[in-house]
């Protein structure tokens, strides 16, 4: 794969009483390592308010950059917001609108979606935010098509993520979208996180179930299914392999993944197909067979429905052919 290692300009917005974790996520994923063929990024942390910026952890943040850097950036990331009830400063909202109007990619992580919504950038678009604020967000911004059960939403030049750790999923997705799976996987390994998580916020809303023999059996079945995606898998067959009733397996599966067996399998197969398109020379028929879609026509249908593109166009986007 031909990797574009040209410098990318990213502006990360910092504000008073910011969470250090939220600020650190894009900085960790997009830090300028300059190692081998890893992409190089010019990343600036930009103060949205007068310094010093306080944090929830008891220390201050000082940065040499302000909101003018949003006019410079290719990508602008709002890593969170301090309170969904508080309207962000108008200077920040105007800077975000200007960046969007000139073609920059705008990203709102966690409650950062509130900032994008206040700027009017999410009207008529799909978006997500932390599940704990979803009811409040939906009532406050009825023109936004809120997706409550996903880790992130990529809607063209606007991307939003769910709460806290989902910001990592979102930033790795942005890295993967631009530079391919191999680069995103290498960065994820460095951070010791999964390069791509399937499922949605639903699996994090309730308290996880205590570990049990059934949970172990379910994990073993999921691993087996991933190793045999080329085969057909019915709900009854998977439940039998897990030594569970259909009803018990369905309940444990949804608790563990936040989705249905069919949706999980389709997502895993699609992710495998994307990886093969990015990294291999296999034709569509071979990829469809190895990922369990069966035919190239079925593969195209799933790409169109879930990604809004074709496998061939997706491959061209990564391989430059």
């Amino acid at each position: 794969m031909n990797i574009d290692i040209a410098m990318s300009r990213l502006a990360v917005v910092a504000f008073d009483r910011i969470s250090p974790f939220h600020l650190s996520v894009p900085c960790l994923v997009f830090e300028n390592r300059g190692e081998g063929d890893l992409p190089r990024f010019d990343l600036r942390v930009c103060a949205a308010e007068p310094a010093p910026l306080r944090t929830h952890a008891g220390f201050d943040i000082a940065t040499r950059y302000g909101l003018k850097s949003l006019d410079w950036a290719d990508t602008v990331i709002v890593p969170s917001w301090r309170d969904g009830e508080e309207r962000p400063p108008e200077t920040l909202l105007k800077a975000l609108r200007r960046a969007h109007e000139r073609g920059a990619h705008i990203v709102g992580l966690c409650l950062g979606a509130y900032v994008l919504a206040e700027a009017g950038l999410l009207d008529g678009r799909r978006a997500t935010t932390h599940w704990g604020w979803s009811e409040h967000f939906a009532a406050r911004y009825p023109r936004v098509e809120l997706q409550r059960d996903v880790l992130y939403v990529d809607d063209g030049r606007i991307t939003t993520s769910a709460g806290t750790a989902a910001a990592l999923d979102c930033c790795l997705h942005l890295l993967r979208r631009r530079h391919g799976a191999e680069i995103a996987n290498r960065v994820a390994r460095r951070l010791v996180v999964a390069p791509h998580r399937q499922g949605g916020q639903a699996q994090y809303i309730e308290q996880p179930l205590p570990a049990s023999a059934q949970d172990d059996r379910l994990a073993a079945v999921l691993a087996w299914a991933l190793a045999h995606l080329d085969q057909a898998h019915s709900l009854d067959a998977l439940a039998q392999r897990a030594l569970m009733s259909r009803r018990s397996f369905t309940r444990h599966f949804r608790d563990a993944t936040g989705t249905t067996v069919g949706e999980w399998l389709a997502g895993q197969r699609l992710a495998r197909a994307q990886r093969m398109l990015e990294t291999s020379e296999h034709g569509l028929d071979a990829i469809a067979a190895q990922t369990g879609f069966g035919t190239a026509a079925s593969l195209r249908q799933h790409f169109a429905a879930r990604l809004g593109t074709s496998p061939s166009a997706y491959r061209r986007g990564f391989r430059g052919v």
Side-chain angles (χ1 to χ4, degrees):
M1 182 175 9
N2 296 322
I3 299 296
D4 175 14
I5 61 172
M7 188 78 78
S8 297
R9 300 187 298 270
L10 295 98
V12 180
V13 176
F15 48 85
D16 194 41
R17 306 197 308 279
I18 192 171
S19 159
F21 176 85
H22 287 120
L23 180 60
S24 70
V25 168
C27 295
L28 284 170
V29 173
F30 298 109
E31 68 178 337
N32 186 11
R33 296 178 179 85
E35 300 174 4
D37 62 350
L38 284 177
R40 298 187 302 272
F41 297 101
D42 187 352
L43 185 146
R44 298 180 181 180
V45 174
C46 307
E49 297 169 299
L53 303 178
R54 296 167 294 173
T55 72
H56 290 307
F59 58 84
D60 296 342
I61 294 174
T63 176
R64 72 189 71 173
Y65 302 109
L67 290 177
K68 288 184 178 180
S69 286
L70 273 62
D71 296 328
W72 154 93
D74 302 316
T75 301
V76 176
I77 301 176
V78 184
S80 185
W81 184 237
R82 55 181 169 245
D83 188 346
E85 295 283 2
E86 180 184 348
R87 179 177 169 82
E90 189 62 33
T91 51
L92 172 58
L93 301 180
K94 288 181 178 178
L96 288 170
R97 295 186 196 110
R98 287 197 308 271
H100 180 258
E101 288 170 0
R102 65 174 177 78
H105 190 154
I106 311 297
V107 182
L109 304 176
C110 194
L111 296 193
Y114 274 84
V115 183
L116 273 58
E118 281 290 340
L121 301 183
L122 299 183
D123 289 351
R125 288 182 176 271
R126 296 179 302 117
T128 192
T129 191
H130 192 290
W131 67 265
W133 286 84
S134 60
E135 294 296 333
H136 181 273
F137 187 95
R140 186 172 182 130
Y141 306 110
R143 298 181 63 183
V144 180
E145 187 180 339
L146 183 64
Q147 309 289 292
R148 302 167 186 262
D149 58 351
V150 297
L151 296 176
Y152 54 82
V153 172
D154 194 337
D155 192 16
R157 290 191 295 109
I158 300 285
T159 304
T160 51
S161 86
T164 315
L168 271 169
D169 297 287
C170 184
C171 288
L172 287 170
H173 162 74
L174 295 173
L175 186 62
R176 184 179 190 275
R177 191 179 81 164
R178 177 158 186 169
H179 296 285
E182 292 299 326
I183 295 297
N185 290 352
R186 287 169 62 183
V187 173
R189 284 195 296 270
R190 177 187 291 273
L191 299 176
V192 199
V193 297
H196 181 70
R197 286 193 294 169
Q198 295 289 341
Q201 294 192 63
Q203 60 189 299
Y204 306 110
I205 294 175
E206 300 294 340
Q207 291 296 320
L209 294 175
S212 69
Q214 285 186 320
D215 296 331
D216 292 340
R217 293 199 300 269
L218 176 62
V221 169
L222 294 182
W224 179 86
L226 283 174
H228 299 84
L229 285 177
D230 58 320
Q231 301 178 18
H233 301 299
S234 69
L235 174 58
D236 288 329
L238 293 175
Q240 184 177 13
R241 177 172 286 273
L243 303 178
M244 298 183 197
S245 68
R246 178 189 178 100
R247 180 178 180 181
S248 178
F249 180 81
T250 300
R251 176 171 57 82
H252 278 263
F253 191 94
R254 182 173 286 279
D255 288 339
T257 68
T259 188
T260 65
V261 171
E263 285 295 311
W264 183 82
L265 282 171
Q268 297 293 344
R269 285 173 168 145
L270 189 64
R272 180 75 56 82
Q274 289 175 276
R275 178 74 176 274
M276 293 182 69
L277 287 166
E278 295 166 8
T279 62
S280 79
E281 301 293 338
H282 293 302
L284 295 188
D285 288 326
I287 292 175
Q290 292 183 42
T291 56
F293 286 116
T295 66
S298 176
L299 178 63
R300 292 189 186 96
Q301 289 174 356
H302 280 83
F303 258 75
R306 288 173 173 255
L307 300 178
T309 188
S310 69
S312 297
Y314 183 87
R315 172 173 270 172
R316 286 195 300 271
F318 280 96
R319 300 173 67 89
V321 298

